[in-house]
Amino acid sequence: MKLRVRKTLESANSADEQTRLGEHLVALGSLSKDQLETALTGLTESGLRLGDALLAQGTVEEHELAEGLALRLGYEIVRLRDRSPDAGVSSEFDESTARRLNVVPLARVNGTLEVAASDPSPETVAKLKKVAGKNVVIRIAGKSEIETTIQQLYRTMGRIDEHVQRFVQSESIVVVSSVTDDVNAEVAPVVEVVNLIMKHAQRDRVSDVHIEPQGDALRVRFRVDGALHDVQSLPSSMAQALVSRIKIMAGMNIVERRRPQDGQFAIDIDGHALDVRVATTATVWGEKAVLRLLDKSRPLFRLGELGMPAETHELFSKMVRSPFGMVICAGPTGSGKTTTLYGTLNEINDPERNIMTIEDPVEYIFPSINQIQMNEQAGLSFADGLKSMLRQDPDVILVGEVRDVETARIAVQSALTGHFVLSSLHATDSAAALHRFLDMGVESFLISSSVLGIVAQRLVRRICTSCTEIYEPTDEELAFYEEAGGEKKTDFWHGAGCNLCGGTGFKGRIGVYELLRVTPELKRLIVGWATQDEIRRMAMKQGMRTLRQEGAALVSKDVTTVSEVIRNVYAI
């Protein structure tokens, strides 16, 4: 009976707290009374707390919720985008405690620890005092700001120095014969250095790791959101050992250092399954290694979430639902072609269709799709895999990349014989993609009869929403913007750089798309071997918006900057 009464009182107290939080949000002007009543009514059905429910609905912003909590609890608020934790404060408690309680230490002053928390309960404060062993002063911050600060505070790269020092002292070049070997760090500091680099890369959303020997150092660079950044400089004496360790993990030949090699391995970091593709090549200073990271646990984007304008998305969706024909996704390396193709497969996948893919590598696993991994060493090329797939009664075929004339011919013939074919192709824009097929030697009348459309794309970085500010673009940027057809505007925005975006002013990326439909008029031009300019002009006359125009549209909506469009989208 006492237990039931206690639970009833706790439930009542919780409801009162939610109501008080809502009232503070109304007082701040972040919420209307009607919105509060609707949210409180829906809490019993959703099982969420008020703050979580309001964030999920998009009714309030995270910083507004933090202000409401600060008022309700009587704590001061702190913006972690402008405030960095003091040096050495991470030793107050470990990373697992910070993540479990969603708190981050900020400063230590005369026996008092200043801590930022997103929603501190009395139990959380008590645990902090027990862990820290001192007085604790609480500050309120947004949940995502705390999570990002935890990533930055407990950086794994900072722990590399001790292993580097041990390597230099022992001149150790020990490597290990397996990815999963349990090796004592005392005898293999190189192993620990590689592990820390991989862990740091996964946490920082890195797509590529570059390990580059130079004259007097070994440079480590990360590519984040399409841009490379220096992250570590190691002694040049570590170069051979570090690359050898990576090559053994990827099943490559460590003795051969003159010829380029490719390999791959799988690794699990913080519960994230990573597929890592490794490529090495010899430079004047030694072997350089590039590691491409594919996080298999990342969510699969739907086609409508990639950044296509509504009109382009509607037209593309109709195109990919054709029973036969070919749709090509074109762009340079790293422009998001594979993500677009997977989003397309996700949209057209249903039990009534036999969908088959040939890829190198298979980046996402679809349980209901038959996916084939290309393997040159076993004699399975794109062309061979495509031939075998045609005997498997397919409805939809995805070719990871058209690299040669044989693959191109088979793909075109498959589209002409009643199959729907999706493929990627390296080209600068949609008109150039058509000419690449012609250059490969595929007959123009086959191309005009099989290709339904081409979507060319690029990726540009989004302006960080935590540090946006007005700036004055250069005369060259203004000229480019006006020439690209951007809307007239007086205020241009960019990211000033803050703790949450690593000082870059950007966070995340969005796609820029150019969709070319192969109309009867364009078919006649293709058969007549028209130039790229003639094809492009006809497509624009029929309503195609170019990459430059779509990039300028994103600038007009303050999604990205003119300089970012010039850097990534600069196309005719």
Side-chain angles (χ1 to χ4, degrees), residues 376-387:
E376 290 280 9
Q377 292 179 343
L380 180 62
S381 64
F382 275 115
D384 295 328
L386 192 47
K387 286 177 186 175

Side-chain angles (χ1 to χ4, degrees), residues 551-569:
L554 290 176
V555 174
S556 67
K557 296 173 184 174
D558 301 321
V559 175
T560 190
T561 63
V562 180
S563 61
E564 183 67 6
V565 173
I566 293 173
R567 189 176 75 89
N568 289 284
V569 183

Side-chain angles (χ1 to χ4, degrees), residues 465-478:
T465 55
S466 299
C467 59
T468 53
E469 66 176 18
I470 294 175
Y471 83 109
E472 189 68 34
T474 64
D475 293 339
E476 292 81 2
E477 289 176 347
L478 284 173

Side-chain angles (χ1 to χ4, degrees), residues 99-150:
R99 291 185 182 279
R100 187 175 71 253
L101 301 178
N102 201 38
V103 297
V104 63
L106 296 177
R108 180 197 313 110
V109 181
N110 298 327
T112 298
L113 182 64
E114 185 180 4
V115 177
S118 60
D119 190 4
S121 63
E123 292 80 6
T124 298
V125 177
K127 288 177 182 177
L128 280 172
K129 289 180 179 179
K130 185 176 179 180
V131 170
K134 57 188 69 177
N135 294 328
V136 175
V137 175
I138 299 295
R139 303 282 186 255
I140 300 294
K143 183 178 179 181
S144 65
E145 290 188 1
I146 288 176
E147 290 172 348
T148 302
T149 306
I150 289 174

Side-chain angles (χ1 to χ4, degrees), residues 11 25 46 89 118 284 341 348 370 480 512 570:
S11 177
L25 290 171
S46 66
V89 76
S118 60
V284 293
L341 288 175
I348 64 177
N370 304 290
F480 177 88
V512 183
Y570 195 81

